[in-house]
């Protein structure tokens, strides 16, 4: 678990650097210089590209984790594993791009009434998806080599810095809307090139494919697994972007733009997951291959606990400051109607980041083909709930549809994993964590009712009072939460990190 924690911490630092850049970009540039419709346009373009790139990969990011242990050999440069990981997505991209072009007209008809601006830029989905696809392919190869920091920096910081530059050029009329969309595509292209340069610097990859190395059994298992992943990829890649398509198609790009800011705020909850999941998946894959279920269970419980601990704590900090967040961003009075979306989607993120490790275990087990069943359950539930709830509650209904869908999905999936694979991500430590965070919420509520009014009265302007109140409550309850978690000894890894920080502070 040591390397998992070390690499995930470094990756998380990269993630938060990216969040800082993204925070500046989203809250102070995008909301000021882009209309809600233009914000919605960029979101739909990105999500459509994510969907196409996800389908085109043919499950490479998942199958790479599953089969890399069979190829792993530093002296032989992993028997050309990298070459296979590049070739297979290229085949998938050609196939799904042709399908995209065939069905372009029905897609345009769906968006034309409420989101006609997206129709004008629909062709940009193809190059953006291509770059996104290989960005993930190269990042996955780095993860397999247990090197996530540089690729994470490129994705989380590099792309956001380039995106910030693009929006600033649009803000100051250096680029028009056409140029902005084109430049956004190129940012992913530059990031992809940087990733492959880094991979070559590790001197472990080779484009040379070695068909003779693949045994008959491995070939048959890989083909079957890939065909299975193709079947599941439609649903699994559709779910993350489903709300964007429903909201933009049914309610318009302007509403989608407002929803986008809420989605971005809620996405902060899952930041630690991106690093911990990336570095733990190869460990889980190796444990499943070796049939070391004791080690897998221990790792899964640790991952689930730390995801839950991190995500709930971040959600707490976001929600006690949510009013100030919307006050600070330009045109916040336009975007704050999605405040409830932030609340609901944060719960979705907490559930997904804490429990997705169960889906990871299933995908690397001999029962992996059952993932298709659970993914279908998730997709059908999500589509049904969106159709029913969006007409009733708009974007709040879309967020609620996501929450209901994931609860149903994990209820079925984790029950199956517990019975068949004998792996359970839950532990009593998660219950203790929930009680701690719940207590902090109650204490914050009491503080707001009895002391916040006094802090607000110290300043002539309401904004300065809000900022002071936020600083006091955030500092007070962050420190209190850390102390309680430390004294409760919920996580040895967290306590070790705190001890190291305390030792460093004593030395200085």
């Amino acid at each position: 678990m040591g390397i998992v924690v070390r690499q995930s911490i470094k990756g998380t630092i990269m993630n938060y650097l990216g969040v800082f850049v993204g925070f500046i970009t989203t809250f102070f540039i995008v909301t000021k210089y882009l209309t809600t419709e233009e914000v919605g346009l960029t979101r739909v373009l990105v999500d459509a590209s994510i969907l196409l790139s996800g389908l085109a990969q043919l499950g490479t990011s998942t199958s790479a984790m599953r089969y890399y242990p069979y190829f792993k050999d530093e002296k032989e440069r992993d028997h050309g594993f990298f070459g296979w990981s590049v070739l297979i997505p290229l085949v998938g991209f050609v196939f799904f791009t042709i399908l995209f072009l065939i069905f372009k007209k029905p897609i345009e008809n769906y968006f034309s009434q409420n989101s006609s601006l997206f129709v004008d830029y629909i062709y940009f989905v193809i190059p953006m998806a291509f770059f996104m696809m290989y960005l993930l392919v190269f990042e996955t190869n780095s993860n397999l080599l247990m090197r996530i920091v540089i690729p994470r920096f490129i994705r989380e910081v590099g792309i956001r810095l380039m995106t910030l530059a693009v929006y600033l050029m649009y803000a100051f009329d250096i680029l028009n809307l056409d140029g902005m969309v084109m430049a956004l595509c190129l940012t992913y292209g530059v990031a992809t090139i940087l990733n492959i340069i880094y991979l070559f610097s590790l001197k472990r990859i080779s484009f040379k494919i070695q068909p003779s190395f693949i045994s008959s059994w491995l070939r048959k298992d890989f083909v079957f697994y890939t065909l299975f992943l193709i079947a599941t990829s439609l649903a699994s890649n559709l779910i993350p972007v489903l709300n964007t398509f429903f909201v933009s198609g049914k309610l318009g790009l302007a509403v989608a733009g407002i929803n986008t800011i809420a989605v971005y705020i809620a996405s902060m909850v899952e930041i630690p997951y991106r690093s911990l999941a990336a570095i733990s998946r190869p460990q889980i894959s190796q444990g499943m291959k070796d049939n070391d279920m004791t080690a897998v269970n221990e790792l899964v419980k640790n991952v689930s606990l730390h995801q839950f601990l991190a995500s709930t704590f971040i959600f707490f900090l976001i929600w006690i400051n949510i009013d100030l967040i919307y006050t600070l961003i330009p045109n916040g009075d336009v975007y704050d109607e999605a405040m409830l979306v932030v609340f609901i989607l944060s719960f979705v993120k907490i559930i997904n980041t804490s429990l997705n490790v169960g889906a990871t275990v299933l995908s690397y087990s001999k029962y992996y083909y059952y993932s298709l069943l659970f993914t279908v359950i998730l997709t059908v539930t999500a589509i049904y709930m969106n159709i029913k709830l969006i007409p009733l509650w708009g974007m709040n209904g879309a967020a609620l549809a996501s929450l209901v869908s994931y609860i149903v999905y994990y209820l079925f999936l984790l029950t199956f994993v517990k019975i068949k694979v004998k792996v359970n991500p839950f532990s009593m430590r998660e219950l203790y964590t929930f009680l701690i965070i719940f207590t902090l919420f109650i204490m914050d509520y009491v503080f707001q009712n009895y002391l916040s009014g006094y802090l607000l009265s110290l300043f002539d302007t309401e904004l300065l009072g809000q900022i002071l109140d936020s600083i006091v409550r955030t500092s007070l309850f962050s420190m209190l939460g850390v102390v309680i978690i430390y004294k409760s000894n919920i996580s040895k890894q967290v306590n070790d990190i705190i001890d190291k920080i305390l030792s460093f502070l004593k030395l200085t």
Side-chain angles (χ1 to χ4, degrees), residues 458-469:
L458 295 177
F459 293 88
D460 294 331
T461 62
E462 183 179 351
L463 178 59
L464 290 176
Q466 275 188 289
I467 293 174
L468 175 64
D469 177 61

Side-chain angles (χ1 to χ4, degrees), residues 227-239:
L227 290 174
F228 159 76
L229 288 175
I230 293 172
T232 60
S233 61
L234 176 60
S236 60
N237 286 286
L238 180 61
I239 286 298

Side-chain angles (χ1 to χ4, degrees), residues 239 242 246 377-387 401-402 405:
I239 286 298
L242 194 61
F246 267 106
I377 290 174
L378 174 61
T379 306
V380 172
T381 305
I383 293 174
Y384 176 78
M385 296 306 298
N386 271 282
I387 291 173
S402 292
S405 303

